[in-house]
Amino acid sequence: MPAQTLAARAGHWLWTCRAGFEPHLYEELEWAGAHPRLLGEALVESETVTGLSPAFARAGYRVVVSLTGGTPDAVAEAAAKAVRSLPGGGPWVVQSFTPDTPRGNTLAAPAEAMEAAVRARLPPERLVDDAQRAREAGAVLVGLCMAPDGVTVVGAVPAREALSLAAGGRRRMKRAGESPSRAAMKLEEALDGLAFEPGRGDVCVDLGAAPGGWTQRLVSRGARVVAVDPARLMPELAANKRVQHVQESAFAYAPEEPADWLFCDMAWRPLEVAQLLAKWGRRGWARHLVANIKLPMKDKNPVLLRVRQTLEKEGGWEGLTVRQLYHDRDEVTVTAHRMK
Ligand SMILES: C[S@@+](CC[C@H](N)C(=O)[O-])C[C@H]1O[C@@H](n2cnc3c(N)ncnc32)[C@H](O)[C@@H]1O
């Protein structure tokens, strides 16, 4: 780790990740030939982007300008100038963030103040707040990264291509009051990024379902859920007519009819889980997949590569996305679908 945060280079890419995952993100970018450089805690730069989105990046922006030092006014002025220099006449979604680290988080208030100062210097008619709607309107997501050691980076990415629409990929969610487990937020974040979502009447199989956070979210969307887990479900779910609890190992379970969606949050070895999900794909037992893959090992990328290969080559799963979401810890979330 550099002793001081390094400035990013204009035209390069700025990536931010979960604290402590910089080496994994760096390695991923290096393997992809993107020539990475570690800038500081939770911040990695790369010279280029490659076809596959990096799994360990929460958000990524093309660097417009990197500023070091300067008064808040001077930084806001230079940042606003950089935003005005962006090509195209579409709307801008301007979002500040700090690296998600103890040092970075102390900068939250100045970062918010900088965002307000930058916005005040931009034509109001170009600014939009609702990133979701802005994506459809072809907006550019502008990231103002305030990092320790006086480094501020202004980056931009078309909202349609952004890894996340949340500032710095920090997709905070209110904890749903009725939700039985924190895991539910991981599911909601995963569903957020999908073009279509499970809904009324869909048949979902939830492997590793207990205590039932995911199952509960799916039921509340109107789906029918087969919850497969040797462990017990929350009593109110076990009693729900739209939930069938199969109290056995997911490795022994075979569905009676194909499902619309396969969910998996099993706390089990990633390569064995990938084999199981590949079997579901091969046999056409589900059309859509959302799986949380646990990666407790030190060397995560080689395992992740094999997981990808197993799902695609042995399972026929397509359109694979592999992302460490904001709510993911030592794990990544995979989504995919099957055409037939
Ligand atoms: C992280 S928890 C799942 C949390 C759940 N998604 C929720 O929202 O409440 C992991 C679950 O995997 C289950 N599990 C581990 N091995 C399994 C297997 N072979 N078959 C089915 N479930 C398994 C565990 O019993 C545990 O309940």
Side-chain angles (χ1 to χ4, degrees):
M1 190 69 62
Q4 293 235 311
T5 311
L6 303 176
R9 283 169 282 201
H12 286 202
W13 283 79
L14 175 74
W15 305 99
T16 183
C17 63
R18 188 177 180 87
F21 282 75
E22 305 85 352
H24 306 300
L25 175 56
Y26 181 100
E27 184 179 60
E28 238 190 321
L29 290 164
E30 192 172 47
W31 285 8
H35 305 289
R37 190 168 68 115
L38 200 54
L39 296 181
E41 285 180 321
L43 294 177
V44 178
E45 179 200 69
S46 72
E47 220 173 281
T48 53
V49 269
T50 53
L52 285 182
S53 299
F56 292 105
R58 280 185 184 167
Y61 306 85
R62 183 185 270 278
V63 178
V64 186
V65 71
S66 201
L67 308 155
T68 308
T71 63
D73 258 1
V75 169
E77 194 58 48
K81 188 174 162 204
V83 178
R84 283 193 300 266
S85 76
L86 289 170
W92 299 313
V93 182
V94 178
Q95 301 172 324
S96 63
F97 67 96
T98 64
D100 191 2
T101 64
R103 273 185 88 203
N105 287 328
T106 62
L107 299 169
E112 265 181 41
M114 182 203 25
E115 178 185 315
V118 172
R119 291 165 73 105
R121 287 168 165 81
L122 295 171
E125 67 278 9
R126 297 286 301 273
L127 296 173
V128 279
D129 289 326
D130 183 340
Q132 201 72 41
R133 281 180 54 198
R135 170 158 59 185
E136 282 133 42
V140 170
L141 211 58
V142 176
L144 306 173
C145 173
M146 185 174 272
D149 308 308
V151 172
T152 302
V153 183
V154 182
V157 64
R160 281 203 188 99
E161 293 164 28
L163 286 180
S164 166
L165 293 179
R170 295 171 77 169
R171 175 76 172 89
R172 294 186 185 87
M173 259 174 237
K174 283 206 196 88
R175 209 164 162 161
E178 77 283 12
S179 163
S181 88
R182 190 187 172 280
M185 289 189 287
K186 289 192 303 194
L187 177 67
E188 289 297 332
E189 191 183 359
L191 295 179
D192 237 23
L194 295 177
F196 42 106
E197 301 182 2
R200 191 158 296 281
D202 279 349
V203 176
C204 302
V205 173
D206 186 5
L207 305 178
W214 287 27
T215 293
Q216 191 277 335
R217 301 309 305 158
L218 296 168
V219 167
S220 73
R221 287 164 175 264
R224 278 197 294 134
V225 184
V226 181
V228 184
D229 199 312
R232 269 198 271 181
L233 285 187
M234 301 277 289
E236 61 268 35
L237 281 176
N240 190 308
K241 284 205 188 74
R242 277 194 270 130
V243 177
Q244 181 196 348
H245 185 193
V246 177
Q247 210 160 358
E248 65 180 29
S249 168
F251 291 100
Y253 172 74
E256 282 164 18
E257 53 172 344
D260 297 297
W261 290 80
L262 175 61
F263 293 90
C264 176
D265 190 21
M266 276 164 59
W268 197 251
R269 296 183 197 110
L271 297 177
E272 288 171 38
V273 170
Q275 292 287 351
L276 176 64
L277 302 178
K279 179 172 89 178
W280 275 73
R282 249 186 345 264
R283 299 198 176 169
W285 284 350
R287 283 188 295 135
H288 305 288
L289 170 68
V290 176
N292 188 280
I293 305 288
K294 317 296 167 193
L295 295 172
M297 66 292 297
K298 199 166 153 279
D299 241 357
K300 301 185 194 302
N301 278 309
V303 176
L304 210 47
L305 197 64
R306 287 180 61 194
V307 167
R308 273 189 206 266
Q309 283 171 347
T310 304
L311 294 177
E312 285 177 338
K313 298 207 173 111
E314 295 176 31
W317 288 107
E318 296 172 29
L320 217 64
T321 69
V322 183
R323 302 281 321 282
Q324 187 182 38
L325 300 175
Y326 178 63
H327 291 95
D328 286 338
R329 293 184 173 159
D330 239 1
E331 54 200 357
V332 292
T333 299
V334 173
T335 68
H337 58 264
R338 283 179 54 88
M339 293 311 237
K340 41 183 175 94

